[in-house]
Amino acid sequence: MNTAVILAGGVGSRMGVDRPKQYLLVQDKPIIAYCLDIFQLHNNIDKIVIVVSDEWKSYVEECVEKYGITKICGYAPAGKTRQHSIYNGLKCINENAGETDVCIIHDAARPLVSDEIIDDCITGAIEEDGAMPVISVKDTIYQSSDGKSIDNLLNRSQLFAGQAPESFNFKKYFEVHNSVTDEEIGNTAGSSEIAYRHGMKIRLVKGSERNLKITTIEDLETFETILNN
Amino acid sequence: MNTAVILAGGVGSRMGVDRPKQYLLVQDKPIIAYCLDIFQLHNNIDKIVIVVSDEWKSYVEECVEKYGITKICGYAPAGKTRQHSIYNGLKCINENAGETDVCIIHDAARPLVSDEIIDDCITGAIEEDGAMPVISVKDTIYQSSDGKSIDNLLNRSQLFAGQAPESFNFKKYFEVHNSVTDEEIGNTAGSSEIAYRHGMKIRLVKGSERNLKITTIEDLETFETILNN
C-alpha cells in the first residue's frame, strides 16, 4: 500500500496575494488540484492524505469533490512546522499500515512532479528505507561556522538539492517520529534529514528542474507557460 | 588603488537567443553597460579591466565609448574557464600594483549590484585578504559522495551561496594564481575558493537576492521589472 501525504498546510505566500500559494488559481483551477490529479491518476498510488489548516479545509474538500479525487483516505491538521504537518499526516495512515507500506510526502505547491519520479521514489523506499529526488546545486556553496568568514570548502560534485516527493518505509519513518522529541521534529530542515539521522538509508533519485515548488511570481509564470505548451 | 575586473568573456546563453546574456539589450541598452555604469560611478573604484572574447571586443569598446566609461585601463582576453578569465584580467593589473591594492571581480551579467556591497567587499579585502557577498541557501542541501545515497548532513545555518563581486588583496591573489597549475585554476568552482584553499582569509559580507546573475528569461524579466520601478 502506497499512501501519498499532500502537504497543503502552509498559510502564507511570498507573492503578496490573498491566499496561500497552493490555492492560487491557474487557468481557473487551484494549484493543489493539479497536484492531486497527478496522484489520483498514478497507478502506484493507493491512497491520499491531505494535510490542511482548519481555515482551508472546506475549500480543499470542495476541490476534492469537484476534481473527482477519489483516493482520499483522510485529512490531517496542519502542524506548527512542515515536519509537524508530516507527522500529523503519518498519524492518519498508521491504523492499518503493513510492514512494507510506503508513504510519499509531497508539497501541494509542486504541481509538476512526473509519474517517473513518483515511481522511482516508491521503488527506492521499497528497496532501501527511503528515497528523495535531487537536482544539482547551481550556487557555489561555502561553509562558515560563524557566518563571518569561510572556514571550509565543500565539494560541489557531492552536493545535492532535495526536492519532493520524499518517500519512506512507513513503519520505520513513523517510528522515528514517535521516538524523538517535539523539538527535534521542529528542528528538521528536510523530511529525509530526520530519517537519515535515525539510521534510515535514503536513496537519491533523479529529480527535475521542472518539478519546482511554486513560491514566487516567476515560478507561477513558469507553471503557466508549461501548462500552455 | 581599487580595480574592478568585469567578466564578459562568456559566449553562451541558456536563453536561446543569438548573443551572450551580458550583451542582451534591456530598454535598448546592453546589460554590460548597466554593470559598467555602476563601477564608473562608484567613488571607491579607480580603474576597470574588461575581460572579453575577441569576437565581442569591438562591441564592448563601442559600449565603453557610448556610455562614457572613462575608468577603463585595459582589456584582457577570455580564458577557457571563468577562473582563467580572472587570471587574464589580473595580468592586466599587475604592472603597477601596490601591496595594498584591491581587485574586485564582477560578472557583467550582474547589473544590480549595490554600491554598499561593493564598499563592503573593498573594506573586507583591505581588512582581511578578501571578501565575498553571500546570501542564505534556499534549497535543502544533502551530501553524497557517490550520488546514490545520503552520507552526510550539512548544517544549513552554516551554508552560504556565494555571489559577486569577490574582492581580494591583489598581490596575494595574483601570487596564488602564479603558484598553482593550470589544471587547478580550471578546477576552481568559485573565485574565493582558490583564495581560501591557499591560505587567504575571506570575509563574508551581506549579499542581496536582488544582486542576481541574469541567466534565464525569468531573471531578465525581473531585471526589467526592477528598472521600471
Side-chain angles (χ1 to χ4, degrees):
Chain A
M1 180 82 78
N2 303 322
T3 306
V5 176
I6 305 299
L7 304 173
V11 292
S13 169
R14 294 182 208 169
M15 288 183 253
V17 287
D18 63 341
R19 54 176 68 196
K21 53 191 179 292
Q22 66 271 27
Y23 305 125
L24 289 174
L25 300 179
V26 178
Q27 296 179 1
D28 281 336
K29 181 171 169 175
I31 288 173
I32 187 175
Y34 291 95
C35 177
L36 290 170
D37 274 349
I38 294 168
F39 288 89
Q40 171 69 24
L41 293 171
H42 196 291
N43 287 334
N44 285 327
I45 298 295
D46 302 294
K47 291 183 177 175
I48 300 171
V49 169
I50 303 178
V51 182
V52 57
S53 66
D54 292 345
E55 188 186 349
W56 285 90
K57 193 175 173 200
S58 60
Y59 179 83
V60 170
E61 286 173 327
E62 280 168 33
C63 282
V64 163
E65 178 72 23
K66 179 172 177 186
Y67 295 100
I69 311 300
T70 59
K71 292 180 180 174
I72 304 295
C73 68
Y75 294 88
K80 59 190 169 188
T81 67
R82 183 176 187 272
Q83 199 63 35
H84 282 101
S85 285
I86 290 171
Y87 192 18
N88 290 347
L90 300 179
K91 287 173 186 165
C92 227
I93 302 177
N94 183 40
E95 209 167 316
N96 302 306
E99 292 300 321
T100 58
D101 283 9
V102 169
C103 57
I104 299 102
I105 319 289
H106 196 63
D107 301 304
R110 284 195 198 258
L112 287 166
V113 61
S114 70
D115 288 346
E116 189 185 359
I117 288 177
I118 294 172
D119 277 328
D120 288 348
C121 285
I122 292 172
T123 303
I126 291 170
E127 294 181 353
E128 305 194 12
D129 299 322
M132 167 176 60
V134 293
I135 55 175
S136 60
V137 174
K138 276 176 286 184
D139 295 321
T140 304
I141 308 286
Y142 291 89
Q143 201 165 11
S144 170
S145 52
D146 63 2
K148 292 180 184 164
S149 57
I150 299 174
D151 54 21
N152 191 26
L153 293 179
L154 295 161
N155 182 339
R156 200 185 339 194
S157 69
Q158 297 185 357
L159 300 183
F160 299 88
Q163 296 190 320
E166 294 171 273
S167 303
F168 306 98
N169 171 286
F170 172 76
K171 285 276 189 191
K172 289 184 185 174
Y173 194 56
F174 190 56
E175 188 45 48
V176 166
H177 287 74
N178 291 336
S179 70
V180 302
T181 62
D182 184 72
E183 191 186 358
E184 180 170 347
I185 292 176
N187 287 335
T188 299
S191 52
S192 289
E193 180 186 306
I194 194 169
Y196 174 80
R197 203 191 292 140
H198 291 277
M200 292 175 69
K201 185 166 185 200
I202 307 300
R203 177 183 291 182
L204 304 184
V205 306
K206 195 172 181 304
S208 163
E209 294 284 347
R210 190 178 154 127
N211 176 27
L212 80 170
K213 187 170 182 176
I214 296 178
T215 308
T216 64
I217 295 287
E218 290 75 31
D219 298 333
L220 198 61
E221 289 167 354
T222 301
F223 179 44
E224 287 179 315
T225 304
I226 290 173
L227 280 184
N228 288 332
N229 288 345
Chain B
M1 180 83 76
N2 303 321
T3 306
V5 177
I6 304 299
L7 303 173
V11 292
S13 169
R14 295 182 208 169
M15 288 184 253
V17 287
D18 64 341
R19 55 175 69 195
K21 52 191 181 293
Q22 64 273 24
Y23 305 125
L24 290 174
L25 299 180
V26 177
Q27 296 179 2
D28 283 334
K29 180 171 170 175
I31 288 173
I32 188 175
Y34 291 97
C35 176
L36 290 171
D37 274 349
I38 295 169
F39 288 88
Q40 172 69 26
L41 295 171
H42 197 292
N43 287 335
N44 285 328
I45 298 294
D46 302 295
K47 291 183 178 176
I48 300 171
V49 169
I50 303 178
V51 182
V52 58
S53 67
D54 292 345
E55 190 185 348
W56 285 90
K57 192 176 174 201
S58 61
Y59 180 83
V60 170
E61 286 174 328
E62 281 168 32
C63 282
V64 162
E65 178 71 24
K66 178 171 177 185
Y67 295 100
I69 311 300
T70 59
K71 293 182 180 174
I72 303 296
C73 67
Y75 293 89
K80 58 190 170 188
T81 67
R82 183 175 187 276
Q83 198 63 35
H84 282 102
S85 285
I86 290 171
Y87 192 19
N88 290 347
L90 300 179
K91 287 173 188 166
C92 227
I93 302 178
N94 184 39
E95 208 166 317
N96 302 305
E99 292 300 321
T100 58
D101 283 9
V102 170
C103 56
I104 299 104
I105 318 287
H106 196 61
D107 301 304
R110 286 194 196 258
L112 287 166
V113 62
S114 69
D115 288 345
E116 189 185 358
I117 288 177
I118 294 171
D119 277 328
D120 288 349
C121 285
I122 293 172
T123 303
I126 291 170
E127 295 181 352
E128 305 194 13
D129 298 322
M132 167 178 58
V134 294
I135 55 174
S136 59
V137 174
K138 275 178 285 185
D139 295 321
T140 304
I141 308 286
Y142 291 90
Q143 201 165 9
S144 169
S145 52
D146 63 2
K148 292 178 182 165
S149 57
I150 299 175
D151 54 21
N152 192 27
L153 293 179
L154 295 162
N155 182 340
R156 194 173 359 182
S157 70
Q158 297 184 357
L159 300 182
F160 298 88
Q163 298 190 319
E166 294 170 272
S167 303
F168 306 98
N169 172 287
F170 172 77
K171 285 275 189 193
K172 288 185 185 174
Y173 194 56
F174 190 56
E175 187 46 48
V176 166
H177 286 74
N178 291 337
S179 70
V180 301
T181 62
D182 185 71
E183 190 186 358
E184 179 169 348
I185 292 176
N187 287 335
T188 299
S191 52
S192 289
E193 181 185 305
I194 195 168
Y196 174 79
R197 203 191 292 140
H198 291 277
M200 291 176 68
K201 187 169 184 197
I202 307 300
R203 177 183 290 182
L204 304 183
V205 306
K206 195 172 181 303
S208 162
E209 294 286 347
R210 190 178 154 127
N211 177 26
L212 80 170
K213 187 170 182 175
I214 296 179
T215 307
T216 65
I217 296 286
E218 290 75 30
D219 298 335
L220 198 61
E221 288 167 355
T222 301
F223 179 45
E224 287 179 314
T225 304
I226 290 172
L227 280 184
N228 288 332
N229 287 343

